[in-house]
Amino acid sequence: MRSVRRVNSALANLATRRLYSLKAALKNEVTPAAEKRNLPPQELQVSKLPSGLVIASLENYSPTSKIGVYIKAGSRYESANNLGITHALRLAANMTTKGASSFRITRGIEAVGGSLSVTSTRDNMIYSVECMRDYVDTVMEYLINVTAAQEFRPWELSELPPKLKVDRAIAFQNPQIGVLENLHSVAYRNALSNPLYCPSFMIGQHTTEQLHEFVQNNFTSGRMALVGL
């Protein structure tokens, strides 16, 4: 819980100190559109907080902003007991958190024309939000919740198995995915052999406690990077 609070604080500080100031500065600009097109390119800014959280941002003068949290928590970090848990986490991203209900997360992001997406690889999980830059503060609230304040309520988790089955079935309609999954299982005998999609025998087996344990062990500030455009 201490690491979760640190991550929550770091993300909130970034939103206040960097993204808020950026939005305020752009609001104060009264520049013709022709001049805006000639604004000089900005350099990527990268910093690392004492907690280990890496922050990278780039001003590209776009009317839309995209913010992503990259977490070193892909399927390679699963064990035999929780195999497929990253697939479950990906589909559980919009569930109720300590700060917002599932309905509030969905409705709040849609209300500002934004979108929330979660992807996973064998190395990372990526939570990203995209919106008009004037609503960065709104979507940041939900991004903080889905990455640092999950609850995994049992009655919500009971709705996951059908979603996992459908997501898996749709994915394996693409022959390329099946080939890559089989290649990894044959080529490796370690964590890299873990599948990206939850095995059929593990669907419905992940408990609230297992999800919390995986998040507490892997969703720490030292294993995260926050990237903003």
Side-chain angles (χ1 to χ4, degrees):
M1 293 305 295
R2 195 174 303 166
S3 63
V4 169
R5 286 195 294 269
R6 286 200 298 267
V7 172
N8 197 333
S9 176
L11 293 177
N13 286 339
L14 172 71
T16 302
R17 295 165 56 187
R18 183 173 293 174
L19 298 175
Y20 284 13
S21 61
L22 182 60
K23 184 179 72 171
L26 288 169
K27 277 186 174 181
N28 292 331
E29 287 181 356
V30 184
T31 317
E35 292 183 20
K36 283 190 175 181
R37 283 197 294 269
N38 296 324
L39 288 172
Q42 299 294 311
E43 293 185 359
L44 178 68
Q45 299 182 43
V46 181
S47 57
K48 188 173 183 178
L49 301 184
S51 63
L53 177 69
V54 175
I55 301 173
S57 64
L58 177 65
E59 171 55 71
N60 60 1
Y61 305 112
S62 170
T64 62
S65 295
K66 189 169 185 177
I67 306 165
V69 178
Y70 292 74
I71 307 169
K72 192 176 180 181
S75 61
R76 68 181 300 174
Y77 301 104
E78 298 172 354
S79 66
N81 294 327
N82 62 15
L83 204 61
I85 200 167
T86 54
H87 187 193
L89 280 171
R90 176 161 60 83
L91 296 186
N94 65 340
M95 289 185 175
T96 299
T97 66
K98 292 180 176 65
S101 67
S102 176
F103 176 79
R104 181 183 170 190
I105 293 171
T106 303
R107 182 70 180 87
I109 294 176
E110 288 181 348
V112 297
S115 63
L116 166 69
S117 62
V118 185
T119 58
S120 60
T121 67
R122 285 180 168 81
D123 293 302
N124 302 303
M125 289 196 70
I126 304 101
Y127 293 77
S128 61
V129 287
E130 189 168 6
C131 66
M132 300 300 290
R133 66 189 308 150
D134 287 343
Y135 299 109
V136 164
D137 51 349
T138 300
V139 298
M140 275 295 293
E141 175 191 349
Y142 300 119
L143 185 61
I144 291 170
N145 270 279
V146 300
T147 56
Q150 304 97 324
E151 282 202 337
F152 306 124
R153 298 179 177 183
W155 53 91
E156 290 186 329
L157 290 181
S158 65
E159 300 175 359
L160 266 186
K163 296 179 182 178
L164 288 168
K165 291 178 182 178
V166 170
D167 194 54
R168 177 184 168 85
I170 292 174
F172 279 91
Q173 287 180 355
N174 183 346
Q176 185 177 1
I177 290 179
V179 170
L180 290 174
E181 289 291 275
N182 288 327
L183 279 174
H184 274 83
S185 65
V186 172
Y188 300 99
R189 287 292 179 267
N190 55 23
L192 286 175
S193 66
N194 291 346
L196 289 176
Y197 296 89
C198 184
S200 299
F201 67 89
M202 287 297 293
I203 292 178
Q205 301 302 310
H206 302 110
T207 64
T208 298
E209 290 74 21
Q210 284 180 316
L211 289 163
H212 277 301
E213 181 181 7
F214 186 85
V215 167
Q216 288 172 2
N217 291 338
N218 295 283
F219 284 44
T220 58
S221 55
R223 298 169 66 91
M224 288 184 174
L226 181 65
V227 181
L229 291 176

